[in-house]
């Protein structure tokens, strides 16, 4: 029972570097989303997708890109990392936007 | 602008007593509300939800109350147990966007 799998679990980047955070789910969920968690800010929605080929912006999309070529995968790309992107990132999936979402274990990203 | 607010960053309750966690929202278009629980170094896990057409939903020790006119929901945990110690997030759904609050850290002490 894999559920939602995020890789890597930890990552340190230098300012200006790019990277992709991977997210995969095996529950055949149509809806997937990315959040970042920062102290005192809760979980903020970065981008979300309601199905393969469809993505949309959340509350804090700047500096991030997403694509959804398959139902299973929803990678998050940081184009040019900045210290302000230091955070814990969570990927989630659900059957619909207003149903129980299943979260991955998170990726702790530090940008120096 | 925070659409979902949890104004109490922390709450401390004695084991066996009631824990009440509060959440306020500003967007009247939200039609579904959820509570999640999060332990350190883990992803959030779903706890309980409520549709905007209801004002109460129970699941075992957990009850969620919704007051639409006040744009307020609350989570009651009775009786509280030490294993309930975690961060609790409320979340609200508008079309396909699930928006979370800032979280309340609950500590249940013996």
């Amino acid at each position: 029972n894999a559920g939602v799998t995020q890789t890597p679990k930890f990552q340190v980047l230098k300012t200006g570097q790019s990277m992709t955070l991977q997210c995969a789910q095996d529950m055949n969920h149509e809806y997937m989303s990315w959040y970042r968690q920062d102290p005192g800010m809760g979980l903020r929605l970065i981008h979300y997708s309601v199905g393969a080929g469809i993505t949309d912006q959340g509350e804090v999309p700047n500096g991030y890109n997403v694509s959804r070529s398959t139902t299973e995968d929803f990678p998050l790309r940081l184009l040019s990392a900045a210290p302000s992107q230091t955070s814990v990132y969570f990927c989630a999936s659900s059957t619909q936007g207003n149903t129980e979402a299943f979260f991955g274990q998170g990726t702790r990203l530090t940008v120096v | 602008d925070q659409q979902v607010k949890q104004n109490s960053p922390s709450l401390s309750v004695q084991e066996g007593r009631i824990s009440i966690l509060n959440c306020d929202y500003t967007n009247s278009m939200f039609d579904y509300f959820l509570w999640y629980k999060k332990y350190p170094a883990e992803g959030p896990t779903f706890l309980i939800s409520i549709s905007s057409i209801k004002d109460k939903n129970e699941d075992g020790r957990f009850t969620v109350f919704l007051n639409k006119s006040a744009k307020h929901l609350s989570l009651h945990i009775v009786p509280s147990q030490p294993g309930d110690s975690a961060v609790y997030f409320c979340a609200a759904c508008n079309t396909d966007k699930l928006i979370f609050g800032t979280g309340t850290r609950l500590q249940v002490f013996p």
Side-chain angles (χ1 to χ4, degrees), chain A residues 1-8 20-29 31-34 67-68 70-76 90-94 102-105 107:
Chain A
N1 253 6
V4 179
T5 303
Q6 290 183 237
T7 55
T20 299
L21 279 62
Q22 301 291 345
C23 175
Q25 53 93 6
D26 61 0
M27 297 172 281
N28 202 33
H29 285 166
Y31 187 94
M32 295 185 74
S33 52
W34 276 101
S67 60
R68 184 96 180 270
T70 67
T71 300
E72 294 77 21
D73 300 297
F74 191 43
L76 179 71
F90 289 99
C91 177
S93 75
S94 59
F102 294 83
F103 281 80
Q105 294 280 66
T107 295

Side-chain angles (χ1 to χ4, degrees), chain A residues 86-100:
Chain A
T86 293
S87 187
V88 181
Y89 291 84
F90 289 99
C91 177
S93 75
S94 59
T95 54
Q96 299 176 45
N98 63 350
T99 56
E100 174 189 355

Side-chain angles (χ1 to χ4, degrees), chain A residues 31 35 37 40-43 45 48 50 57-59 90 97-106, chain B residues 2-3 31-32 34 36 38 41-46 89 93 95-103:
Chain A
Y31 187 94
Y35 291 87
Q37 184 189 12
M41 303 294 289
L43 291 158
L45 181 64
Y48 66 101
V50 300
Q57 296 181 349
E59 301 170 277
F90 289 99
N98 63 350
T99 56
E100 174 189 355
F102 294 83
F103 281 80
Q105 294 280 66
Chain B
Q2 196 80 25
Q3 297 185 65
D31 57 5
Y32 205 78
L34 307 93
Y36 284 80
K38 185 182 182 303
E42 294 184 10
T45 54
F46 171 77
F89 291 98
C93 191
T95 59
D96 293 311
K97 287 188 180 181
L98 188 60
I99 305 298
F100 281 80
T102 51

Side-chain angles (χ1 to χ4, degrees), chain B residues 14-82:
Chain B
Q14 189 172 29
E15 182 179 6
R17 307 294 287 264
I18 184 171
S19 295
I20 300 176
L21 295 93
N22 294 303
C23 179
D24 297 294
Y25 61 95
T26 57
N27 188 343
S28 58
M29 298 301 292
F30 287 138
D31 57 5
Y32 205 78
F33 304 88
L34 307 93
W35 283 93
Y36 284 80
K37 178 179 178 179
K38 185 182 182 303
Y39 292 118
E42 294 184 10
T45 54
F46 171 77
L47 200 53
I48 192 170
S49 62
I50 188 167
S51 165
S52 61
I53 62 173
K54 295 186 175 181
D55 55 19
K56 179 181 173 182
N57 188 28
E58 278 184 85
D59 185 1
R61 297 185 297 115
F62 302 92
T63 303
V64 56
F65 295 92
L66 176 62
N67 182 334
K68 286 194 296 288
S69 61
K71 294 192 180 66
H72 177 84
L73 65 155
S74 60
L75 174 68
H76 293 208
I77 305 174
V78 182
S80 300
Q81 299 174 355

Side-chain angles (χ1 to χ4, degrees), chain B residues 11-17 19 80-85 106-110:
Chain B
L11 176 67
S12 189
V13 171
Q14 189 172 29
E15 182 179 6
R17 307 294 287 264
S19 295
S80 300
Q81 299 174 355
D84 296 330
S85 297
L106 173 65
Q107 182 181 7
V108 180
F109 59 92

